[in-house]
Amino acid sequence: MSLIVMKFGGSSVGDAERMKRVAKRIVERSREGHQCVVVVSAMGDTTDDLIDLSKQIYDGTPPAREMDMLLTTGEQVSVALLSMAIHSLGEAAVSYTGWQAGMYTEAVHGKARIADIQPQRVLNSLERGNIVIVAGFQGMTVDGEITTLGRGGSDTTAVALAAAIKADLCEIFTDVDGIYSTDPRVVKVARKLKEISYDEMLELANLGAAVLHPRAVEYAKNYNVTLVVRSSFTYNEGTNVKEEAVMEQGIVVRGIAYDKNVARISILGVPEKPGQLAKVFTALAKSQIDVDIIVQSGVLDGSADFSFTTSLSDLEKALEVIEQIREEVAFREVTSEMNLVKVSIVGAGMVSTPGVAATMFEVISELGISISLVSTSEIKVSCVIDGTRLPDVIRALHTAYGLDTAEQAFVGGPSERR
Ligand code: ADP
Ligand code: ASP
Ligand code: MG
């Protein structure tokens, strides 16, 4: 008998029929003799719908505490319904919120990190013969405040819980049947990967590949969790995420990711004196705003310009923060750009292969698109470009790096996604 954590994403439980199918799948596993802990997300587009609703009520950025209070309701609906569906198949199940399951987080709303897990209640419940269902994406601070882990955070609940209860396996069930060389919704001939290393997957996830939440991969790497991504609609073999993964011969780029959640902010005419950059980025960090690529241009007439990227969802808040330090920094002007995307290539073999970045720049320029920012690490190259022709860029890169296959990728969920 083994202990398995199974995680089902929003589209896998998008309606009552899908919820029942997922319940059947869990019961099958349980009847094979495994102990099952299940983590589940909010149904379908529930989280987006709740965000839309908040926008109709509140003009601007709603109070973060109340946003968490609102969004965590989505997962609570799912756990209760899934537990009922399992009961109706004749098995014992108990649902828990994140806080009931002992998921403690730091005191940050909207994208809290897990600080501690006290899984005793989950373990006791398993011992009593239940299938345990835990709400993903949510936790509680030591002061009893409700928090969320950031969009896509149910993956992290699952992997962190798997580490805490020393599960033998963590299976992430989603609407594609594994991790592909790029988003199979964009490239139909994307290549399904048998395996991928934690490091490569971490880069891809950080660079926008929604298939796994970055912190889930971090947990898997740090606690050596056996992690598989597979389809909730088929029984196809999935993709193993592991310490080291074999690269197919002749392929240098393992995957291509894109991130539409990108905005660029430029602060112009900043008087040149020590500590100016620190003032801006300290203020942003204090407001929990992550900054990505930073570029400072040369100094002219004693003042400098600089640009940086942040997530589109943080743009409004970032501009508010910058406004608050306008006098202190004494800059001339602040501008922002929104119709941008970040496209990235990732592969552990890139370090030892020259010309990989050059190919990327060439492919993008052949499409007549200019590159506004570039950033690199040992195993990735990212370009920030205008987002209008994103699918063309991804397809061209996929072909250029020899990743196209003859088969069509399996995409099981609704084709129209936000
Ligand atoms: P869930 O609701 O199950 O958490 P997500 O929408 O968060 O599902 O993640 C699955 C989606 O990730 C897929 O539908 C696919 O469009 C997208 N995706 C992006 N990059 C990749 C990739 N490299 N491999 C597989 N899927 C990817
Ligand atoms: N429901 C949350 C979201 O949509 C968490 C998740 O699905 O993982 O982001
Ligand atoms: Mg997800």
Side-chain angles (χ1 to χ4, degrees):
M1 180 168 75
S2 55
L3 175 55
I4 304 178
V5 173
M6 307 169 82
K7 180 260 169 179
F8 294 88
S11 58
S12 302
V13 292
D15 54 34
E17 274 321 302
R18 287 184 182 197
M19 190 72 91
K20 287 192 210 168
R21 199 167 42 195
V22 163
K24 226 174 112 213
R25 186 126 193 196
I26 297 164
V27 166
E28 275 168 24
R29 264 282 196 236
S30 167
R31 288 184 183 159
E32 284 167 11
H34 304 294
Q35 286 186 305
C36 301
V37 174
V38 180
V39 172
V40 67
S41 297
M43 294 172 73
D45 286 333
T46 302
T47 309
D48 289 315
D49 294 342
L50 290 170
I51 292 171
D52 287 351
L53 202 52
S54 75
K55 286 187 179 144
Q56 291 171 41
I57 299 282
Y58 192 94
D59 207 11
T61 312
R65 178 187 186 279
E66 305 312 327
M67 255 341 255
D68 278 352
M69 194 60 105
L70 177 68
L71 297 189
T72 48
T73 61
E75 270 69 13
Q76 277 201 52
V77 170
S78 292
V79 288
L81 292 174
L82 186 56
S83 180
M84 287 177 202
I86 293 173
H87 277 268
S88 74
L89 295 173
E91 295 293 327
V94 182
S95 66
Y96 293 118
T97 60
W99 38 101
Q100 287 179 312
M103 308 293 298
Y104 286 91
T105 74
E106 58 180 10
V108 171
H109 288 293
K111 45 181 163 186
R113 281 178 176 271
I114 295 170
D116 183 29
I117 301 179
Q118 292 180 13
Q120 212 46 53
R121 194 164 179 181
V122 169
L123 292 170
N124 292 344
S125 194
L126 274 176
E127 280 314 308
R128 289 195 298 271
N130 293 301
I131 293 171
V132 175
I133 325 265
V134 177
F137 175 61
Q138 52 180 247
M140 190 174 75
T141 69
V142 282
D143 296 328
E145 289 293 317
I146 291 174
T147 52
T148 57
L149 308 181
R151 295 306 306 268
S154 297
D155 296 335
T156 302
T157 306
V159 181
L161 199 52
I165 63 174
K166 302 193 171 54
D168 300 290
L169 171 66
C170 180
E171 292 180 303
I172 305 285
F173 291 88
T174 184
D175 57 5
V176 288
D177 63 353
I179 299 165
Y180 281 78
S181 49
T182 192
D183 188 344
R185 289 178 198 278
V186 177
V187 178
K188 300 280 173 251
V189 290
R191 175 180 297 247
K192 186 161 120 187
L193 308 174
K194 260 192 163 13
E195 51 187 38
I196 184 166
S197 69
Y198 291 130
D199 287 334
E200 289 168 311
M201 191 57 231
L202 188 56
E203 283 283 7
L204 284 173
N206 271 318
L207 295 167
V211 65
L212 280 178
H213 193 239
R215 285 180 189 160
V217 188
E218 252 171 55
Y219 257 98
K221 180 179 159 67
N222 292 342
Y223 295 89
N224 223 345
V225 176
T226 305
L227 184 63
V228 177
V229 174
R230 54 191 308 191
S231 164
S232 62
F233 302 91
T234 74
Y235 286 81
N236 296 352
E237 216 176 295
T239 302
N240 296 304
V241 190
K242 51 198 280 211
E243 190 57 43
E244 286 206 21
V246 178
M247 197 63 136
E248 278 179 61
Q249 243 191 342
I251 289 185
V252 191
V253 171
R254 178 93 67 180
I256 304 171
Y258 61 88
D259 190 353
K260 295 185 191 169
N261 188 12
V262 177
R264 171 177 164 150
I265 296 181
S266 300
I267 306 188
L268 310 175
V270 182
E272 235 283 303
K273 57 181 175 187
Q276 293 282 64
L277 277 180
K279 273 183 206 153
V280 174
F281 294 111
T282 305
L284 291 167
K286 273 192 188 150
S287 296
Q288 309 293 333
I289 295 166
D290 291 326
V291 168
D292 186 17
I293 309 173
I294 305 173
V295 182
Q296 177 166 15
S297 67
V299 181
L300 187 73
D301 294 334
S303 71
D305 298 340
F306 62 89
S307 286
F308 59 90
T309 57
T310 183
S311 62
L312 193 54
S313 41
D314 277 343
L315 176 63
E316 213 175 82
K317 202 160 127 202
L319 291 173
E320 282 168 17
V321 170
I322 292 166
E323 232 14 84
Q324 285 160 15
I325 53 168
R326 179 182 275 272
E327 272 183 32
E328 196 185 338
V329 178
F331 57 83
R332 189 183 71 241
E333 193 186 347
V334 54
T335 62
S336 59
E337 251 179 285
M338 294 198 289
N339 187 25
L340 296 171
V341 289
K342 182 166 74 177
V343 181
S344 309
I345 54 169
V346 172
M350 275 165 54
V351 198
S352 51
T353 317
V356 182
T359 303
M360 182 176 199
F361 303 149
E362 242 168 63
V363 168
I364 295 176
S365 80
E366 272 166 18
L367 289 168
I369 298 167
S370 52
I371 300 171
S372 29
L373 295 167
V374 177
S375 98
T376 62
S377 81
E378 278 197 335
I379 67 165
K380 69 120 199 221
V381 183
S382 299
C383 295
V384 175
I385 57 173
D386 179 89
T388 319
R389 292 180 59 200
L390 175 67
D392 293 338
V393 174
I394 310 241
R395 283 183 207 120
L397 288 169
H398 200 265
T399 307
Y401 289 113
L403 295 170
D404 294 356
T405 60
E407 287 150 41
Q408 295 274 311
F410 173 85
V411 179
S415 54
E416 284 305 317
R417 314 245 318 178
R418 299 210 201 193

